[in-house]
């Protein structure tokens, strides 16, 4: 069942179109990646979901219901431009934001204490935000995004500005929340950062969705029949073993262990490649190379450019 | 609706708990009380006892100077040079020397003193000498003093307002002062707290918290929450100031009950001896005149309807503040830091400054066309109408009603306008907005 549907969302600003007929479906409990370069319209789209701005056309439905102010309590949003009141105490501030999401005083306090314990930051409660380091402030920021246990979580460029340790922590927390039943929407231009997390994606470029679907099937669709081959004790030059129409690229050569990237012609299967190499050395690994989202994206964008 | 209360609460508490607020709240009344207490106190302590020697070579002025408990005049019968020689031994604080020549040349009169004796004393002496010299010259030129005194008149026109078939005495000086103070207070409050709204919006923008919040509440709610919260801060500060000032003044009064007693100038007991009837009448007149003045003041103050003025003040303060605060919020949303606010501040502050500048015209002619129109236009009415209110006859009810209505329409309009700019502005980063840009935002 689709948890979230956007149908034909269009938004014009004076002089330019931010979104042009964008339709997206997100399944319940999935992790969805909204990918695209800066200025593609991702943030505008997310702001529409959060009801910060309204679309000119189109409709958004959550669980089949048209978007309604009550849905705000069900959405957790970590914006790209994020921060906290510098002069306010951490605890007070977290309480304030949690209560704005509709939590009662008691609930907010209880849950915040729980999260603070989990992140081992209870002693920050009475500190002012300006006393915290950037990484510490981001932990607080994450807590206030999720404290009201929303069924839809939206992260706009979540990993930008997080140090690697906090980024990993964040990733693990997000995966856990997903397991607990939250539907998650990532928006990022840094595609490699969310590739391993997303089940489904949509690529947005210049206000339009240019590609969407399940991540694996997209990769399958766009794969180029390339393989990575690691072989030890190679007795002959690889170019002598393989026919000329196999495009070979040497990746590394360490301690007799050679690593190659081989692009096969369309009608040749991977087994044929293995049969040809096997007699000449010891195969240590063999793996299909799937295109990264980045590569697919660049391909799609240039294709679109050519089509024009 | 519940959420806007949470916002109001935060905006209010975060400001009221600030050290600067507490300091200002305590310091304000101390300064204000000092304004009342210090001059009275100083006037009291500076009145030390003075002994003044009068050396009169003309013989006209002996015993003309009437001292009091603080000032003692003593006649000195010796020549000026030896008086100067013995000045220190004689132990006088001051020596008034009236030479023979002063009958023709009054500027020859000198007051010598070891320390500054104060302007009041000198003024008193001057008036005594002046009167005596005038009388002397009159006598010389053969004019009967009585004739002149009969001719001399003192005019004070009592102004009355003819209203509902009744005469009501008018005290325009008091109304003038009260109008000026009310107008200025409104002006100061609008600026003080309007700027706080602007700074608050800029703070939210620069700390990047604004998008986090507007994902929970509507931008309009955030804006109104801030405006209302700060309005309460303003009211709190105002009320605390009034109360604390009262407490401080009362405490001083309790400690030193004499402090605020009005010190009447030395009462002259009318001495009929040796005076012509016209002189007695004259003296009586001048006493009546000064008592009249004091009575007028009291009567005038009694006639002020403080309740009405306070209610009006609250309405115009809240109305004017709301009108301008939303504009200040819009300015705050359009810029990234406070230094960029200049170009937008100008058009907003011009009507306020205009109102303050024209306050003088309004106070001089509170029912004139300038006063009327400026108290109808919502951008100037809080200041101008407030200045008109204390005057008699009271501003017509329909005028007040119309001004109220216009002000309400005015702030509904500016709030609507501001909210349109605000909701776009708060999400714009790193872009320096121009007026043309703001105009575009209105249509988003």
């Amino acid at each position: 069942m689709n948890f979230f549907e956007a149908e034909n969302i269009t938004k014009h600003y004076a002089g330019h179109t931010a979104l042009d007929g964008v339709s997206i479906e997100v399944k319940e409990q999935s992790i969805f990646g909204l990918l695209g370069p800066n200025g593609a319209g991702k943030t505008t789209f997310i702001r529409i979901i959060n009801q910060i701005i309204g679309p000119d056309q189109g409709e958004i439905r959550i669980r089949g219901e048209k978007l309604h102010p009550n849905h705000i309590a069900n959405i957790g949003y970590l914006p790209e431009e994020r921060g906290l009141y510098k002069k306010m105490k951490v605890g007070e501030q977290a309480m304030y934001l949690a209560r704005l999401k509709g939590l009662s005083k008691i609930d907010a306090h209880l849950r915040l204490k729980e999260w603070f314990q989990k992140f081992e930051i209870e002693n920050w409660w009475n500190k002012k935000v300006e006393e915290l380091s950037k990484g510490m402030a981001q932990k607080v920021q994450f807590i206030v995004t999720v404290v009201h246990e929303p069924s839809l979580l939206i992260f706009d460029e979540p990993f930008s500005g997080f140090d690697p340790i906090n980024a990993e922590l964040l990733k693990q927390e997000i995966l856990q929340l997903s397991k607990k039943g939250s539907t998650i929407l990532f928006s990022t231009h840094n595609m490699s950062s969310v590739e391993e997390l997303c089940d489904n994606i949509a690529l947005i470029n210049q206000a339009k969705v240019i590609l969407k679907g399940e991540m694996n099937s997209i990769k399958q669709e766009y794969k180029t029949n390339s393989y990575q081959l690691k072989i030890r004790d190679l007795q002959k030059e690889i170019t002598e073993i393989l026919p000329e129409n196999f495009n070979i690229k040497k990746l590394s050569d360490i301690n007799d262990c050679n690593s190659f990237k081989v692009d096969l012609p369309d009608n040749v299967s991977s087994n044929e490649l293995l049969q040809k190499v096997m007699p000449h050395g010891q195969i240590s690994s063999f793996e299909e190379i799937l295109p990264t989202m980045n590569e697919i994206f660049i391909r799609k964008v240039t294709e679109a450019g050519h089509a024009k | 609706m519940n959420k806007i209360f949470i916002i109001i609460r935060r905006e209010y508490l975060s400001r009221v708990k600030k050290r600067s607020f507490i300091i200002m709240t305590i310091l304000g009344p101390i300064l204000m009380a000092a304004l009342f207490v210090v001059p009275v106190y100083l006037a009291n302590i500076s009145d030390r006892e003075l002994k003044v020697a009068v050396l009169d070579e003309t013989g006209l002025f002996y015993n003309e100077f009437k001292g009091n408990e603080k000032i003692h005049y003593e006649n000195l019968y010796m020549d000026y040079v030896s008086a100067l020689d013995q000045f220190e031994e004689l132990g006088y604080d001051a020596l008034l020397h009236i030479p023979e020549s002063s009958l023709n040349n009054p500027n020859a009169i000198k007051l010598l003193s070891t320390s500054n004796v104060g302007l009041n004393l000198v003024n008193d002496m001057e008036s005594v000498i002046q009167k005596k010299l005038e009388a002397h010259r009159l006598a010389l030129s053969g004019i009967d003093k009585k004739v002149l005194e009969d001719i001399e008149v003192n005019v004070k026109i009592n102004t009355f307002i003819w209203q509902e078939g009744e005469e009501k005495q008018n005290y325009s000086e008091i109304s003038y002062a009260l109008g000026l103070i009310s107008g200025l207070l409104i002006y100061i409050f609008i600026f003080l707290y309007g700027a706080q709204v602007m700074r608050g919006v800029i703070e939210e923008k620069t700390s990047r918290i604004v998008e986090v919040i507007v994902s929970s509440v509507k931008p309009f709610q955030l804006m109104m929450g801030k405006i209302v919260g700060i309005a309460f801060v303003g009211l709190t500060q105002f009320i605390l100031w009034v109360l604390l000032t009262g407490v401080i003044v009362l405490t001083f009064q309790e400690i030193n009950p004499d402090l605020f007693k009005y010190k009447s100038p030395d009462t002259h007991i009318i001495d009929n001896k040796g005076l012509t009837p016209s002189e007695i009448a004259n003296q009586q007149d001048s006493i009546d005149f000064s008592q009249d003045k004091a009575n007028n003041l009291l009567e005038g103050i009694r006639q002020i309807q403080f309740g009405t003025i306070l209610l009006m003040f609250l309405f115009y303060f809240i109305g004017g503040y709301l009108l301008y605060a939303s504009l200040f919020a819009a300015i705050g949303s359009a810029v990234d830091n406070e230094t960029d606010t200049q170009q937008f501040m100008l058009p907003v502050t011009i009507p306020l400054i205009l109102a303050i500048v024209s306050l003088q015209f309004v106070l001089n002619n509170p029912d004139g066309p300038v006063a009327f129109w400026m108290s109808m236009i919502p951008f100037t009415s809080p200041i101008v109408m407030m200045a008109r209110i204390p005057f008699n006859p009271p501003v017509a009810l329909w005028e007040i009603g119309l001004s109220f209505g216009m002000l309400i329409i005015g702030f509904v309009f500016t709030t609507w306008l501001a909210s349109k700019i605000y909701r776009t502005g708060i999400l714009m980063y790193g872009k320096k907005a121009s007026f043309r840009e703001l105009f575009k935002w209105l249509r988003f």
Side-chain angles (χ1 to χ4, degrees):
Chain A
M1 186 207 163
N2 283 338
F3 176 79
F4 168 87
E5 289 164 326
E7 200 181 309
N8 201 23
I9 301 293
T10 302
K11 178 82 189 173
H12 298 283
Y13 286 119
H16 87 283
T17 305
L19 292 168
D20 184 4
V22 170
S23 298
I24 278 170
E25 301 79 33
V26 180
K27 287 201 188 68
E28 181 119 36
Q29 286 198 40
S30 68
I31 300 182
F32 190 91
L34 192 63
L35 311 179
N38 287 328
K42 302 182 303 280
T43 298
T44 304
F45 183 67
I46 285 173
R47 283 178 180 167
I48 290 173
I49 302 173
N50 278 298
Q51 302 177 56
I52 294 169
I53 47 179
D56 294 343
Q57 268 172 47
E59 193 178 278
I60 284 179
R61 287 181 294 271
I62 288 182
R63 292 205 171 105
E65 246 179 81
K66 214 178 151 191
L67 202 60
H68 182 271
N70 288 345
H71 284 130
I72 281 176
N74 283 325
I75 301 176
Y77 173 38
L78 186 68
E80 181 181 3
E81 298 283 0
R82 50 187 173 244
L84 298 164
Y85 287 113
K86 290 194 179 69
K87 305 264 175 213
M88 229 176 150
K89 283 180 183 161
V90 173
E92 267 174 34
Q93 178 140 222
M95 284 291 291
Y96 175 59
L97 293 171
R99 293 203 59 202
L100 283 184
K101 278 290 182 190
L103 286 185
S104 73
K105 215 170 182 171
I106 301 161
D107 270 1
H109 194 257
L110 222 67
R111 289 192 205 178
L112 282 171
K113 283 284 180 192
E114 233 168 72
W115 273 102
F116 273 55
Q117 263 168 23
K118 190 169 178 182
F119 281 5
E120 295 172 347
I121 57 173
E122 296 130 288
N123 53 341
W124 297 359
W125 189 269
N126 279 321
K127 272 190 185 165
K128 277 190 181 168
V129 172
E130 58 190 352
E131 296 170 47
L132 303 186
S133 74
K134 212 173 167 196
M136 292 155 102
Q138 280 163 339
K139 274 188 190 170
V140 178
Q141 194 107 49
F142 176 77
I143 292 174
V144 295
T145 310
V146 301
V147 68
H148 57 295
E149 292 173 7
S151 44
L152 176 63
L153 276 164
I154 301 173
F155 297 99
D156 197 355
E157 302 293 356
F159 303 111
S160 77
F162 274 83
D163 60 63
I165 297 168
N166 275 327
E168 188 52 37
L169 181 81
L170 185 67
K171 233 179 228 180
Q172 293 312 317
E173 286 302 330
I174 290 171
L175 285 175
Q176 265 194 26
L177 287 167
S178 166
K179 264 184 215 144
K180 277 189 196 158
S182 294
T183 306
I184 288 156
L185 189 78
F186 276 121
S187 155
T188 180
H189 65 272
N190 183 1
M191 291 166 215
S192 58
S193 70
V194 295
E195 223 172 320
E196 50 198 295
L197 295 172
C198 297
D199 335 306
N200 287 273
I201 58 115
L203 270 182
I204 295 189
N205 188 42
Q206 291 178 349
K208 282 187 178 143
V209 176
I210 53 172
L211 180 69
K212 64 179 172 182
E214 211 198 322
M215 176 92 96
N216 285 333
S217 50
I218 287 175
K219 286 197 168 178
Q220 288 299 327
E221 192 186 327
Y222 283 85
K223 71 181 177 185
T224 46
N225 211 9
S226 303
Y227 297 88
Q228 187 182 354
L229 176 73
K230 272 189 191 165
I231 189 162
R232 257 184 285 148
D233 307 327
L234 195 64
Q235 276 128 29
K236 269 168 126 184
E237 277 299 310
I238 188 103
T239 38
E240 285 171 40
I241 306 164
L242 298 173
E244 268 180 17
N245 58 350
F246 284 25
N247 192 356
I248 304 156
K249 195 173 151 200
K250 192 165 187 171
L251 295 174
S252 67
D253 179 5
I254 306 157
N255 299 338
D256 294 334
C257 179
N258 290 286
S259 170
F260 303 100
K261 179 183 180 238
V262 187
D263 295 337
L264 300 180
D266 287 347
N267 53 352
V268 181
S269 81
S270 52
N271 284 7
E272 262 178 71
L273 172 64
L274 281 177
Q275 275 170 1
K276 284 199 163 72
V277 202
M278 245 188 284
H280 305 284
Q282 196 68 37
I283 293 172
S284 62
S285 86
F286 183 72
E287 195 183 8
E288 187 174 21
I289 297 177
L290 286 173
T292 63
M293 278 319 298
N294 218 14
E295 286 164 338
I296 296 171
F297 175 73
I298 290 166
R299 214 172 117 190
K300 279 301 285 187
V301 171
T302 36
E303 265 173 30
H306 284 309
K308 274 181 191 167
Chain B
M1 210 49 209
N2 186 23
K3 286 182 184 174
I4 205 165
F5 285 123
I6 299 174
I7 295 173
I8 292 171
R9 192 174 158 266
R10 192 205 83 87
E11 297 294 339
Y12 179 76
L13 287 179
S14 70
R15 280 179 179 75
V16 169
K17 282 195 282 185
K18 256 191 204 159
R19 212 170 293 144
S20 58
F21 177 86
I22 297 168
I23 290 171
M24 270 311 287
T25 306
I26 296 171
L27 219 57
I30 290 177
L31 288 177
M32 270 198 268
L35 221 62
F36 289 108
V37 173
V38 170
V40 179
Y41 187 67
L42 283 182
N44 270 3
I45 55 165
S46 70
D47 278 3
R48 65 200 158 92
E49 264 183 53
L50 283 177
K51 258 171 83 185
V52 182
V54 179
L55 202 163
D56 181 13
E57 291 171 10
T58 63
L60 268 176
F61 299 98
Y62 283 130
N63 299 326
E64 283 299 324
F65 297 100
K66 307 267 183 298
N68 56 26
E69 69 264 31
K70 291 275 164 81
I71 300 167
H72 304 285
Y73 291 99
E74 270 176 41
N75 300 330
L76 207 60
Y77 304 94
M78 55 170 71
D79 66 298
Y80 183 52
V81 179
S82 51
L84 275 186
D85 278 347
Q86 298 167 36
F87 188 64
E88 299 216 340
E89 291 105 81
L90 288 167
Y92 292 112
D93 295 288
L95 171 69
L96 181 65
H97 178 225
I98 306 169
E100 188 83 53
S101 63
S102 62
L103 288 177
N104 299 316
N105 176 20
N107 290 341
I109 299 172
K110 262 194 230 164
L111 182 72
L112 285 151
S113 64
T114 47
S115 64
N116 206 333
V117 290
L119 211 56
N120 278 337
L121 179 65
V122 179
N123 281 343
D124 281 350
M125 289 177 181
E126 277 171 358
S127 77
V128 169
I129 294 168
Q130 208 169 314
K131 271 196 185 143
K132 197 65 203 171
L133 270 181
E134 267 173 22
H136 177 69
R137 287 185 182 183
L138 280 174
L140 280 183
S141 51
I143 300 169
D144 191 353
K145 198 182 171 208
K146 187 175 168 276
V147 175
L148 193 79
E149 275 166 1
D150 284 346
I151 293 169
E152 211 178 72
V153 273
N154 239 330
V155 179
K156 157 105 176 68
I157 298 178
N158 290 314
T159 52
F160 292 87
I161 301 295
W162 183 255
Q163 199 181 35
E164 292 153 11
E166 257 184 273
E167 275 183 3
K168 279 189 181 167
Q169 193 147 16
N170 193 20
Y171 308 96
S172 50
E173 298 91 346
I174 296 163
S175 306
Y176 193 102
L178 210 60
L180 187 70
I181 292 169
S182 311
L184 275 175
L185 267 183
I186 295 246
Y187 173 82
I188 291 167
F189 267 74
I190 287 177
F191 251 115
L192 217 60
Y193 295 100
Q196 279 208 25
V197 171
M198 188 177 78
R199 243 174 275 132
V201 173
I202 293 174
E203 184 208 350
E204 271 164 6
K205 228 185 133 175
T206 49
S207 71
R208 299 285 195 263
I209 196 175
V210 68
E211 196 164 349
V212 177
I213 295 178
V214 293
S215 68
S216 309
V217 299
K218 294 221 170 317
F220 182 74
Q221 286 175 306
L222 178 58
M223 186 179 95
M224 280 320 283
K226 185 175 286 299
I227 289 174
V228 173
I230 292 175
F232 280 120
V233 176
L235 286 176
T236 308
Q237 189 148 56
F238 181 69
I239 291 166
L240 282 177
W241 274 351
V242 171
L243 288 181
L244 281 174
T245 307
V247 166
I248 291 173
V249 172
L250 282 180
T251 323
F252 264 88
Q253 210 164 12
E254 200 63 31
I255 294 169
N256 187 357
D258 292 335
L259 198 57
F260 288 91
K261 259 196 202 143
Y262 176 61
K263 282 214 220 118
S264 54
D266 320 312
T267 42
H268 302 277
I269 295 150
I270 301 168
D271 185 7
N272 292 351
K273 265 184 271 169
L275 286 177
T276 59
S278 77
E279 271 178 329
I280 296 170
N282 215 331
Q283 230 168 9
Q284 186 65 53
D285 262 3
S286 78
I287 291 167
D288 282 352
F289 186 64
S290 67
Q291 272 178 352
D292 241 23
K293 254 188 172 167
N295 280 343
N296 262 358
L297 205 72
L298 285 176
E299 175 60 29
I301 289 171
R302 220 174 290 132
Q303 204 180 296
I304 297 166
Q305 289 166 308
F306 280 107
T308 317
I309 290 181
L310 202 67
L311 279 182
M312 291 283 183
F313 185 84
L314 280 182
F315 178 85
Y316 279 108
F317 164 59
I318 293 169
Y321 164 81
L322 286 178
L323 182 99
Y324 279 100
S326 54
L327 291 177
F328 278 113
I331 293 173
S333 76
V335 298
D336 274 336
N337 56 61
E338 226 175 310
T339 47
D340 288 344
T341 57
Q342 305 288 348
Q343 56 160 336
F344 299 116
M345 285 289 275
L346 193 66
V348 174
T349 49
I350 278 177
L352 277 175
I353 291 166
L354 199 71
I356 276 295
V357 169
S358 58
L359 210 55
Q360 212 180 346
F361 298 103
V362 172
L363 290 168
N364 281 327
N365 188 4
D367 288 322
V370 176
F372 174 78
W373 287 109
M374 288 190 83
S375 57
M376 289 303 127
I377 298 166
F379 289 93
T380 52
S381 70
I383 293 169
V384 174
M385 191 55 121
M386 227 22 248
R388 289 179 64 195
I389 294 286
F391 280 91
N392 231 343
V395 182
L397 270 183
W398 68 267
E399 279 185 43
I400 293 177
L402 190 61
S403 170
F404 269 33
M406 295 285 283
L407 186 57
I408 291 169
I409 293 170
F411 80 66
V412 169
F413 171 73
T414 57
T415 308
W416 169 83
L417 190 83
S419 72
K420 294 214 138 196
I421 292 172
Y422 179 83
R423 63 171 193 201
T424 309
I426 48 169
L427 297 174
M428 294 278 179
Y429 296 113
K431 212 174 174 185
K432 218 177 161 186
S434 60
F435 277 106
R436 181 195 288 229
E437 196 93 15
L438 292 194
F439 194 70
K440 264 197 226 159
W441 294 355
L442 288 181
R443 290 178 295 149
F444 279 177

